[in-house]
């Protein structure tokens, strides 16, 4: 856990220890990186506003060096832009202070039950290959240049091949929105992806399932 407020760090450490977890505490971003890179952990709880390198910088380094490490960001910065930045940087979850400890432990349990975020650094399906470390994407051997958000959206589809995923699931996983019925950001970015993945005579393999969501599939009919 990386937290520079002693009272909060002590509270979380004692609570998680009572739940049976082994907890290591770092109070600066530099210390957090050093510990994370030198030891094996299943999950990190990371404050954003840390002395030294901040939480976003820590995430950026871990995303390259330890992409399998699950990171929950716990911070006082609650704006949508802050949530999006944290999730884009590599956090698997984003909680804001003040928080309820029971909810924090529930999220810890849920993420530890789930498979590691990236057991492999490569995702492949329907002729598309995506490298999580180099950020390189190809379709049928042809390189595709994507923006950061397009890359995250495609990675989400590739993690759920042939599954129908709802607009709300995509919003939550890729943008960190719990609910926003007024945004069309998913539709816009799916359109971007389709255009960039399309090949002459071969449309992008992203199927719209009417009234439900989208599915990554080789057949668009």
């Amino acid at each position: 856990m990386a937290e520079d407020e002693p009272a909060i760090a002590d509270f979380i450490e004692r609570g998680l220890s009572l739940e049976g977890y082994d907890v290591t505490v770092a109070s600066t971003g530099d210390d957090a990186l050093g510990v994370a890179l030198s030891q094996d952990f299943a999950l990190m709880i990371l404050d954003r506003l840390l002395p030294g390198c901040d939480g976003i910088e820590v995430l950026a380094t871990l995303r390259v060096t330890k992409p399998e490490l699950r990171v929950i960001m716990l911070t006082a910065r609650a704006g949508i832009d802050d949530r999006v930045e944290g999730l884009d940087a590599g956090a698997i979850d984003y909680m804001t202070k003040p928080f309820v400890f029971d909810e924090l432990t529930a999220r810890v349990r849920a993420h530890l039950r789930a498979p590691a975020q990236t057991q492999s650094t490569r995702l492949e399906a329907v002729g598309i290959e995506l490298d999580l470390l180099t950020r390189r994407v190809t379709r049928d051997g042809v390189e595709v240049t994507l923006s950061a958000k397009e890359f995250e959206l495609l990675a989400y589809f590739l993690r759920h091949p042939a599954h129908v995923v709802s607009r709300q699931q995509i919003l939550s996983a890729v943008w960190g929105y719990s609910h926003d019925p007024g945004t069309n950001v998913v539709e816009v970015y799916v359109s971007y992806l389709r255009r960039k993945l399309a090949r002459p005579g071969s449309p992008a393999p992203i199927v719209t399932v009417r009234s439900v969501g989208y599915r990554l599939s080789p057949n668009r009919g």
Side-chain angles (χ1 to χ4, degrees):
M1 174 179 58
E3 172 59 62
D4 67 325
E5 297 184 40
I8 295 177
D10 182 64
F11 171 68
I12 295 174
E13 181 183 17
R14 286 189 291 108
L16 290 176
S17 296
L18 289 172
E19 294 283 332
Y21 298 107
D22 292 326
V23 183
T24 299
V25 179
S27 58
T28 71
D30 297 316
D31 287 346
L33 263 181
V35 171
L37 295 177
S38 63
Q39 301 181 40
D40 290 328
F41 296 97
L43 182 143
M44 173 186 280
I45 297 171
L46 175 67
D47 188 14
R48 175 167 179 156
L49 301 175
L50 291 168
C53 60
D54 70 8
I56 296 298
E57 294 175 285
V58 172
L59 278 170
T61 301
L62 291 177
R63 187 174 194 171
V64 174
T65 56
K66 276 201 169 182
E68 75 283 357
L69 178 61
R70 307 163 176 91
V71 178
I72 298 175
M73 184 160 273
L74 181 65
T75 173
R77 300 186 64 166
I80 288 295
D81 289 345
D82 297 316
R83 291 169 57 86
V84 170
E85 186 179 15
L87 293 165
D88 279 351
I92 59 170
D93 207 342
Y94 193 105
M95 288 188 66
T96 57
K97 302 172 183 175
F99 63 96
V100 177
F101 183 75
D102 285 348
E103 180 184 1
L104 175 62
T105 55
R107 294 193 188 201
V108 168
R109 289 193 298 270
H111 290 304
L112 290 178
R113 284 196 302 267
Q117 185 177 356
T118 52
Q119 291 181 346
S120 169
T121 62
R122 296 177 65 85
L123 300 172
E124 300 180 35
V126 295
I128 299 169
E129 297 185 9
L130 180 150
D131 191 305
L132 292 160
L133 296 184
T134 65
R135 312 285 285 180
R136 184 171 183 266
V137 175
T138 61
R139 184 187 179 199
D140 298 330
V142 178
E143 188 158 357
V144 181
T145 301
L146 301 180
S147 70
K149 188 55 64 180
E150 291 163 353
F151 183 93
E152 297 302 326
L153 178 58
L154 180 59
Y156 182 76
F157 278 127
L158 288 169
R159 289 188 177 105
H160 304 83
H163 294 176
V164 177
V165 290
S166 72
R167 175 179 173 277
Q168 187 55 49
Q169 286 175 308
I170 296 171
L171 268 178
S172 177
V174 180
W175 278 270
Y177 295 178
S178 58
H179 183 61
D180 188 351
T183 183
N184 68 341
V185 68
V186 173
E187 291 81 356
V188 169
Y189 274 84
V190 167
S191 176
Y192 291 163
L193 264 188
R194 282 174 168 162
R195 185 166 66 248
K196 290 189 175 184
L197 291 172
R199 293 287 171 267
S202 180
I206 302 174
V207 178
T208 298
V209 180
R210 189 177 299 276
S211 301
V212 181
Y214 301 94
R215 182 179 72 246
L216 193 66
S217 169
N219 301 311
R220 294 202 57 194

